[in-house]
Amino acid sequence: MSNSTKYIFVTGGVTSSLGKGIISASLAKLLQSRGYSVTIQKLDPYINVDPGTLNPYEHGECYVTEDGAETDLDLGHYERFLNTPTSQANNVTTGRIYQSVIDKERRGDYLGKTVQVIPHITDEIKERIQILGNKGTHEFVITEIGGTVGDIESLPYVEAVRQMLWEKEGDCLVVHLTLVPYLSAAGELKTKPTQHSVKALLELGVQPHVLVCRTEHELGDELKDKVAKFCNVSRSAVIESRDASTIYDVPLLMKEERLDEVILGKLNMPLGTEPDINEWQSFLHKLKNPEKEVEIGLVGKYVELRDSYKSITEAFIHAGASNNCKVKVRWIHSESITSDNVANKLNDLKGVLVAPGFGTRGIAGKIEAIRYIRENQIPFLGICLGMQCAVIEYARNVLGWPEAHTMEIEENTNKPVIHLMNEQRSVVDKGGTMRLGAYPCQVNNDTTAFEVYGKENISERHRHRYEFNNEYLSDFEEAGMIASGMNPEKGLVEIVEIPEHPWFVGVQFHPEYKSTVDNPHPLFVNFVQAAIKQQVKVMSSSELQS
Ligand code: GLN
């Protein structure tokens, strides 16, 4: 056995959306539960330098890491499964690779050589893959290659994998995720697409070691034999991956299929300790056997594509399980809310979350929703733009300032209760220039926030340009909305709440990014508790009336 870092590549064939991210995270979880240190990286073949400038409709949520990288939403799955932070190094795009190669060329680093895809781009890719391994802290680096084998744009990545397999023989392994579709007309599962996608990899010089076959039906021994024989993989390395009712089942399904054992065997690594998955199992048990259900509204403008709010919905799953409660999310399009229909849309909800976002579309509906929630004592959690809307609503309807607004939407408003941060005033470029990543926050005693966190000093992740305007803080506090959390260095308001209300909290940061299976986020846990209390209150008052 060698002590060097092992590199596991996860490629995808036949179609996109097979769940490479979940398979990577599940494999990592199993290796971690055997005592290994593992990290997961995603290589994305698009030319954007990062997904920060992408519209959520294009690519779902932009996930933010501790070090302020704007990354692919799969990194959220990695953190939720492994409970360890990722960083900028865990997500690399073609844009970033080219940017770095072009910067080096301009600096003259290539000493007059012609700069080419091979070797310069592929060298840069290999370097980015090995940055994580070279730290010496991880025994395994799992690298998920975005896209589908056969795409023109993923060719340099597959070539980099081919080179690494050759250069680091014995330390690298390829897991290929494919689809075995069921043809109902024929009543059969079909392996040909898998054979073709393995052929596509072989043409590029890569022989996968393990095949994970997504399927709606049991593969059976005969089909597994056939896939093994036609794709040159050992029989034990044909892994069935059946559709699961929750992504959190997948590590256990992969354990049953011995994915981790097969891989450790092929990499000549000891099996380690027997996997410790008791906590995971107890989470799954709670998730699947809730004692109660509570319905919470999610008001946002991207609700047609639910992946836009991935970390929020997962945080509800974690918080629900920890409360033995199923959180049913009602998706409400902020553009559809008006003063006429708001009661109809929200009155039976036990809590409402107003989502983050950018720009004008849907703002009026968010503000209308918050007015209704505040006046009707429904638990409220506002995140980032959701918090900013709560501040605007309070200014307009409680302080009596109808012109109050955020400068993001009305630059010249007379009452800029939300304004551009000082450090943002000279910013011109849109990409990577927001206030990003983890910042400390000091929580005041005797507040809901303190009850939630149980401590004074916390750290949360940010992604915004605008903030609460401290010029108006005393007006707000006198009127009943307080700042319960502040950035200790800059005095920025990070948490607002209304003590008079049963549970009304707005946060400038994104708690959803830090919720994991092992550590459900306290804000979500407490918010769900408040929603459960609301349910009990509503039920007992309707019993009294009947
Ligand atoms: N658009 C707001 C800002 O930039 C809020 C951002 C967000 O919700 N992530 O401050």
Side-chain angles (χ1 to χ4, degrees), residues 34-160:
R34 287 182 178 276
Y36 286 114
S37 162
V38 192
T39 189
I40 322 175
Q41 176 187 47
K42 171 105 190 256
L43 302 182
D44 273 311
Y46 51 72
I47 301 187
N48 304 66
V49 173
D50 61 43
T53 50
L54 285 175
N55 185 321
Y57 286 130
E58 291 278 314
H59 221 71
E61 168 187 280
C62 170
Y63 184 80
V64 178
T65 57
E66 286 288 294
D67 64 346
E70 295 179 286
T71 71
D72 186 78
L73 60 74
D74 271 343
L75 272 79
H77 290 309
Y78 307 161
E79 290 203 10
R80 288 187 281 274
F81 276 52
L82 294 185
N83 197 34
T84 55
T86 54
S87 69
Q88 179 66 73
N90 294 73
N91 191 196
V92 180
T93 69
T94 294
R96 192 170 291 277
I97 298 278
Y98 271 81
Q99 192 179 49
S100 151
V101 168
I102 291 168
D103 285 348
K104 286 182 187 166
E105 186 275 336
R106 291 288 84 183
R107 279 204 308 266
D109 291 3
Y110 295 115
L111 306 174
K113 288 264 181 237
T114 308
V115 180
Q116 295 178 295
V117 173
I118 302 170
H120 303 100
I121 295 295
T122 47
D123 279 353
E124 186 75 28
I125 295 172
K126 287 190 291 178
E127 197 183 310
R128 299 288 176 140
I129 293 169
Q130 291 172 85
I131 283 176
L132 290 166
N134 292 344
K135 280 185 175 170
T137 43
H138 300 114
E139 285 144 317
F140 288 92
V141 175
I142 299 179
T143 299
E144 176 191 346
I145 316 273
T148 309
V149 167
D151 296 347
I152 290 176
E153 52 185 20
S154 53
L155 287 177
Y157 292 103
V158 180
E159 169 60 14

Side-chain angles (χ1 to χ4, degrees), residues 336-357:
S336 74
I337 301 175
T338 64
S339 55
D340 292 337
N341 67 18
V342 65
N344 232 335
K345 283 185 186 285
L346 307 183
N347 73 42
D348 56 337
L349 289 168
K350 306 303 176 295
V352 175
L353 183 148
V354 177

Side-chain angles (χ1 to χ4, degrees), residues 356-358 383-385 388 408 463-466 510:
F358 296 83
I383 298 182
C384 208
L385 183 63
Q388 297 176 353
E408 179 177 4
R463 183 174 189 243
H464 62 119
R465 294 185 203 280
Y466 296 84
H510 292 261

Side-chain angles (χ1 to χ4, degrees), residues 220-230 235 238:
D221 287 341
E222 224 175 285
L223 276 195
K224 281 189 170 180
D225 285 342
K226 188 173 167 187
V227 170
K229 192 190 294 172
F230 289 138
R235 174 62 177 72
V238 179

Side-chain angles (χ1 to χ4, degrees), residues 17-296:
S17 304
L18 288 181
K20 285 194 296 283
I22 301 299
I23 290 293
S24 304
S26 299
L27 169 61
K29 183 77 216 166
L30 292 177
L31 295 174
Q32 185 191 53
S33 69
R34 287 182 178 276
Y36 286 114
S37 162
V38 192
T39 189
I40 322 175
Q41 176 187 47
K42 171 105 190 256
L43 302 182
D44 273 311
Y46 51 72
I47 301 187
N48 304 66
V49 173
D50 61 43
T53 50
L54 285 175
N55 185 321
Y57 286 130
E58 291 278 314
H59 221 71
E61 168 187 280
C62 170
Y63 184 80
V64 178
T65 57
E66 286 288 294
D67 64 346
E70 295 179 286
T71 71
D72 186 78
L73 60 74
D74 271 343
L75 272 79
H77 290 309
Y78 307 161
E79 290 203 10
R80 288 187 281 274
F81 276 52
L82 294 185
N83 197 34
T84 55
T86 54
S87 69
Q88 179 66 73
N90 294 73
N91 191 196
V92 180
T93 69
T94 294
R96 192 170 291 277
I97 298 278
Y98 271 81
Q99 192 179 49
S100 151
V101 168
I102 291 168
D103 285 348
K104 286 182 187 166
E105 186 275 336
R106 291 288 84 183
R107 279 204 308 266
D109 291 3
Y110 295 115
L111 306 174
K113 288 264 181 237
T114 308
V115 180
Q116 295 178 295
V117 173
I118 302 170
H120 303 100
I121 295 295
T122 47
D123 279 353
E124 186 75 28
I125 295 172
K126 287 190 291 178
E127 197 183 310
R128 299 288 176 140
I129 293 169
Q130 291 172 85
I131 283 176
L132 290 166
N134 292 344
K135 280 185 175 170
T137 43
H138 300 114
E139 285 144 317
F140 288 92
V141 175
I142 299 179
T143 299
E144 176 191 346
I145 316 273
T148 309
V149 167
D151 296 347
I152 290 176
E153 52 185 20
S154 53
L155 287 177
Y157 292 103
V158 180
E159 169 60 14
V161 170
R162 186 196 68 75
Q163 291 179 20
M164 276 191 67
L165 284 166
W166 184 75
E167 287 162 10
K168 293 184 158 290
E169 205 190 338
D171 286 340
C172 297
L173 177 139
V174 176
V175 176
H176 187 55
L177 177 62
T178 80
L179 176 70
V180 177
Y182 179 77
L183 289 195
S184 46
E188 268 180 337
L189 287 166
K190 292 293 185 186
T191 64
K192 196 74 84 186
T194 294
Q195 295 177 42
H196 280 299
S197 84
V198 171
K199 290 243 162 62
L201 262 181
L202 283 169
E203 277 169 23
L204 302 172
V206 173
Q207 165 67 56
H209 304 85
V210 176
L211 292 178
V212 176
C213 304
R214 278 297 303 274
T215 170
E216 288 170 22
H217 300 276
E218 195 186 333
L219 281 185
D221 287 341
E222 224 175 285
L223 276 195
K224 281 189 170 180
D225 285 342
K226 188 173 167 187
V227 170
K229 192 190 294 172
F230 289 138
C231 300
N232 318 322
V233 296
S234 49
R235 174 62 177 72
S236 62
V238 179
I239 306 286
E240 172 183 309
S241 171
R242 289 276 284 281
D243 291 356
S245 61
T246 151
I247 55 171
Y248 298 107
D249 267 333
V250 180
L252 300 182
L253 294 174
M254 289 302 101
K255 181 171 181 289
E256 270 168 38
E257 286 283 303
R258 300 176 180 274
L259 175 66
D260 53 335
E261 291 179 45
V262 170
I263 287 175
L264 288 169
K266 287 193 182 290
L267 285 169
N268 216 5
M269 294 287 277
L271 289 183
T273 51
E274 196 36 39
D276 178 7
I277 44 167
N278 291 342
E279 278 192 32
W280 192 273
Q281 267 164 330
S282 101
F283 158 75
L284 257 184
H285 180 79
K286 287 188 189 172
L287 180 64
K288 291 185 172 180
N289 303 284
E291 291 163 6
K292 47 197 172 291
E293 178 174 306
V294 73
E295 193 173 15
I296 292 181

Side-chain angles (χ1 to χ4, degrees), residues 296 298 309 311-320 322-323 327 353 381 383 452-453 503 507 509-515 520-531:
I296 292 181
L298 195 160
Y309 302 110
S311 295
I312 293 177
T313 48
E314 298 305 314
F316 273 135
I317 290 174
H318 309 151
S322 90
N323 280 300
V327 176
L353 183 148
L381 177 58
I383 298 182
V452 164
Y453 285 97
W503 209 95
V507 289
F509 47 77
H510 292 261
E512 70 275 23
Y513 294 144
K514 282 180 73 168
S515 187
H521 196 286
L523 258 175
F524 279 85
V525 173
N526 214 280
F527 178 46
V528 171
Q529 270 160 17

